[in-house]
Amino acid sequence: MKLSGIKFWAIALFVVSAIQFAVVSCSDDPGVENYYTQSREYAADYLKNREQYSEYLKILERARGEYDLRLVDMLGTYGSYTVFAPTNAAVEKYLAERGLASVDELSVADCDTIALNSIIEAAYFTTDFNDGQYPKSNMLEHIVSVKSYQEWDAQKQDSVLAMYINQTSPVIHADDSVSNGVVHTVSTIVGSSNDLIGTVILSDSTCLLYGQAFEVTGILDTLQDHYVDDTYGWANDKDRIDSCTWTNTKLCIPTAKHLDGSGGEYDNVAYPVKRYFNYTVFMCPDSILKEKYGVTTVLGKNDPNSLEYLAHQLYDPMYPEDADNDELTDRKTALSLIMLSTAMVTITV
């Protein structure tokens, strides 16, 4: 009896093993978790599947962008996008402020502006970035900034982290991950961020002295007006079409027309349409100027409380030949030098 029991269990284990082997061997299904099909929504699907974005969706459907492509179609394809999606209430508020009754009354240009302002062609989660300027501009080529504050939430009776896009658009729901990026919900339409750096400098109430110094030296005009490089590009339209006539021969790529090498032509080479000057300015708050240097005013070459006096103390020993130069807009004067030392320029195409 004991031997028969052992044989019985041995046979049973063999049968179970055989069944398992057969199941594994005969199944070609790698399992759902190994499928390449993406189960998450694209940004366009995310918006379409939620009623609260229906008005914003109408704007996206009418917007065309630079390449005459419906932006809603773009958000339904592969890529990487950050979408600041306004709620229906946000769109209705915007329309009311403009005296409009519906999205249909917006022009295509209006829809383009709203849509392009709300999309960055890169995915930025709050865990990646929640304060300052985003590394990449939006699709309207404007800088987008985010600022986080601790605010009191009356409903939660607690302090919460509040995020604002371009200072005016509160993020009410963040980090909804989609297949091609991330969607942040905002309670107002993201405003146009087309203020140039000069406007931003003058509007900073914490750095009034620096703003005034940039203004009186004329540096502010340079920062404000020299944004697009007007000297960049082809000399004329012929150069653009026939790149072999351009002076930089490195961009002329010869191609043989015939097997013997005769009849050579030149292929056109793609190049950026525009070149921009982008500025970085390191602003010193009025409070620091006062606390560390006793500076409370801008002008006054002989006034120890002025920024101009401080500039002369720093630069006159280095450039004595310009110590008596009182032309504030001259880039060699002490005040201009101290302001120029706080500004950096980068060129992008």
Side-chain angles (χ1 to χ4, degrees), residues 51-56 84-94 172-173 184-189:
E51 176 60 27
Q52 65 173 324
Y53 306 112
S54 59
E55 294 299 305
Y56 175 57
F84 300 105
T87 61
N88 289 345
V91 176
E92 290 165 2
K93 178 183 177 182
Y94 172 82
I172 57 177
H173 185 72
H184 304 295
T185 305
V186 291
S187 59
T188 63
I189 284 179

Side-chain angles (χ1 to χ4, degrees), residues 86-156:
T87 61
N88 289 345
V91 176
E92 290 165 2
K93 178 183 177 182
Y94 172 82
L95 293 172
E97 289 173 349
R98 294 192 52 183
L100 304 176
S102 70
V103 171
D104 295 333
E105 296 183 26
L106 291 171
S107 66
V108 173
D110 288 334
C111 293
D112 278 351
T113 299
I114 295 171
L116 294 173
N117 257 330
S118 67
I119 303 171
I120 301 176
E121 290 186 275
Y124 295 116
F125 292 81
T126 57
T127 51
D128 302 325
F129 206 84
N130 61 20
D131 198 81
Q133 294 179 352
Y134 285 104
K136 190 169 185 179
S137 300
N138 62 25
M139 293 190 67
L140 203 59
E141 297 184 356
H142 290 165
I143 293 170
V144 181
S145 65
V146 57
K147 185 69 176 177
S148 300
Y149 304 92
Q150 285 293 331
E151 291 186 352
W152 179 258
D153 189 312
Q155 184 176 357
K156 295 182 178 179

Side-chain angles (χ1 to χ4, degrees), residues 233-254 265-269:
W234 303 95
N236 53 56
D237 199 53
K238 183 179 181 299
D239 289 345
R240 181 183 63 80
I241 297 172
D242 184 9
S243 62
C244 68
T245 64
W246 202 43
T247 56
N248 186 347
T249 55
K250 292 182 180 179
L251 289 183
C252 298
I253 303 178
E265 295 180 343
Y266 288 87
D267 284 345
N268 290 327
V269 179

